[in-house]
Each structure stands twice: as C-alpha cells, then as structure tokens.
Amino acid sequence: MKKIALSILTVSTFLFGSCSNEDSSSPENLAYNATTNVTLKAGSVSSSRTKANNKPHEVDSVVVSVSSLELNVDGQTVTFTKDPGTAYIDLLSFESKDTLIWSEEELPVGELHSAVLGLDKDEDSYVVETDGNHADLHISHKELDFDIESDSAIAADTKYVIKLDMAGSLRLVKKGNGGYNLQQGTAGAPKEGVLILQKVD
C-alpha cells in the first residue's frame, strides 16, 4: 500500500513521441545539431483535503497524460509533442529508472532559459484509491513550470539528457465530491520543478 506522501523514485516505462521545432522569427538560423532524451522524475506529491471532506485518504495511483514540452533556447521556442492518449504516466508507480518520455530529439545550440511541461486536460486523468475506487482527477495547472538548474548551455555535436524533477511542487487536493485536484506551487509548495541539463559522455 502506498500513501500519497510517498517520495517517488522513477519508473522504467518507455514512451516515444515527436518533436516540432518552432521559431517565430527566423527558423532557418537555428542550428539543430545537438540531441537529447527527456526523462521525468515526479519527486514527491503532498496531499491535502478540502474542509468539505476532512477524512484521511490514501491513494495508489495518480494518472496523468503528458502532451508536450516547450523549451526556450535563446528566445527561440522548441516544442516536443506527444499524440493524444499515448503518454499516460502514473505519478505513484515509479520504481527504479527514469521515465523516458522523448528520445533522440533535436536541440538548437544556445542557452536554455525556461521549460514548460504540458498535461492534456482533454484525456482521462484519474486517481486510484487504496480500496480500488477510481476517482476523477482535475488538472488545475495544465502547464507545469521548471526552473533551470546548473549549466544550461547547449553545445554543438553533443548529446544530452533533460531531467525533469517535480521537486515537491505537486499537491493532490481531495474535493468534497470525492474527486481530486492536481496542483503545482500552491499552499507553500515550490512554485516550479527543476530541470537539469546533463551531458552524455
């Protein structure tokens, strides 16, 4: 039995997708000669409840659908995407390895300034409680923000792993109707997750 306050490691599920590289000003000037894998580590998910329902609750699964990752590299926008319904992740079933969401995607050379992970609110998101009950999950923040940690310079002819760590920024709030809200950066939780750009030797 897993409690929602469990500190999460990572899972070995492999989810492959596509990349679209968007530059609103001059796409022909971008040099896409670096590559990356993108992995997700949920960190920890804290729990709380509304006043309308103050009974303790435990859950075994928090399932969401990933839709995109948007990166800002020197003012240029690069977006990796997933087809609808193809990238479901259970935030409470991580075990030993990073969840690989994108593989061998192209990156432009430059400084990485920001990152936003998109969740698909149109796909089914849900919580599985310890008694087996499935409850609706409302995605309060469909765009999850990440702070860039350490060196974020992308060099030519280099391979990277982009590590996304939710770093305790997610909260699961039980509502009075039995459903849940998934939130980022509320009630004192960190406002952002952490992105680490790791060079592959």
Side-chain angles (χ1 to χ4, degrees), residues 78-92:
V78 180
T79 304
F80 305 153
T81 61
K82 305 295 293 186
D83 291 332
T86 63
Y88 283 100
I89 293 178
D90 180 359
L91 296 178
L92 288 186

Side-chain angles (χ1 to χ4, degrees), residues 29-154:
N29 293 330
L30 283 180
Y32 288 99
N33 55 358
T35 60
T36 188
N37 292 343
V38 180
T39 68
L40 175 66
K41 180 179 180 180
S44 61
V45 182
S46 62
S47 65
S48 63
R49 47 194 175 269
T50 64
K51 292 181 179 179
N53 189 333
N54 59 7
K55 294 180 180 179
H57 61 280
E58 296 178 349
V59 303
D60 284 342
S61 296
V62 179
V63 179
V64 298
S65 177
V66 173
S67 62
S68 64
L69 177 65
E70 184 177 290
L71 305 173
N72 182 297
V73 181
D74 283 341
Q76 315 297 330
T77 300
V78 180
T79 304
F80 305 153
T81 61
K82 305 295 293 186
D83 291 332
T86 63
Y88 283 100
I89 293 178
D90 180 359
L91 296 178
L92 288 186
S93 66
F94 296 87
E95 292 178 356
S96 60
K97 296 182 179 179
D98 288 349
T99 302
L100 180 63
I101 308 178
W102 286 276
S103 177
E104 298 295 327
E105 301 289 359
E106 294 183 329
L107 282 175
V109 172
E111 192 79 16
L112 178 59
H113 296 284
S114 64
V116 177
L117 183 69
L119 301 182
D120 193 342
K121 297 181 71 171
D122 294 329
E123 296 296 323
D124 291 334
S125 298
Y126 58 93
V127 167
V128 181
E129 297 177 320
T130 54
D131 61 1
N133 178 60
H134 283 59
D136 291 335
L137 176 63
H138 173 71
I139 306 297
S140 298
H141 303 105
K142 70 175 183 178
E143 295 182 341
L144 304 180
D145 296 317
F146 291 85
D147 183 37
I148 311 301
E149 186 174 278
S150 66
D151 184 12
S152 60
I154 300 170

